[in-house]
Amino acid sequence: MRKLIRRLPAALIAAAAVAMVGPAGAQIAPGGGPVAYGADDSEYIGSEGVFRLIGRAEMIQGENRLRADTIDMFTTPNRTGGSGGDVREVVATGNVYFVTPTQVVRGDRAVYTASTDLVVITGDVILTQGENVMTGSRLTIVVSTNRATMDGAPSASGSRVRGVFYPDESPPRE
């Protein structure tokens, strides 16, 4: 996952009364590109600088998809002091899925923070890549380096990360 969000359009403030405003410039896929989004409902709370997608919320960019019950995008003030500037944080809650062409991450909550370029997925975290599966309670991804750390989930024997990995069954090259 590259950058989740960079800018909301300047027209967002003017369109705040309309339920269908959008996060143009969102970055949830390498290389950027247009972002499609959908939800059962949406709202913009200008006084708090929050654009919210509610109910079966999703953002799609390229081949990457972020889905959750609710996705909140928190903005910084724009140059004139009003809301609708850069998105500083994206919070996805409830049945969170982040899907790329090679991986699926499932959790209860995901937070992307633009200033640190970190994605933190918490709760009952399940990461799958093909048949390989890893579980834990917190997955932290440094987006710029694609380095990830999984913290263990509480168990009878302490906090544990668990996984099942299937080796590549292709014959060795000579």
Side-chain angles (χ1 to χ4, degrees), residues 55-91:
R56 298 183 301 164
E58 66 180 348
M59 296 173 62
I60 302 167
Q61 184 175 45
E63 295 179 304
N64 292 356
R65 174 182 299 210
L66 175 65
R67 289 186 346 199
D69 294 338
T70 302
I71 299 174
D72 290 338
M73 292 164 275
F74 297 89
T75 62
T76 60
N78 65 22
R79 292 184 185 118
T80 62
S83 59
D86 289 337
V87 172
R88 60 181 167 80
E89 187 174 69
V90 174
V91 178

Side-chain angles (χ1 to χ4, degrees), residues 88-109:
R88 60 181 167 80
E89 187 174 69
V90 174
V91 178
T93 54
N95 299 303
V96 174
Y97 286 87
F98 182 70
V99 181
T100 72
T102 60
Q103 296 178 332
V104 175
V105 180
R106 191 258 177 249
D108 299 323
R109 177 179 167 91

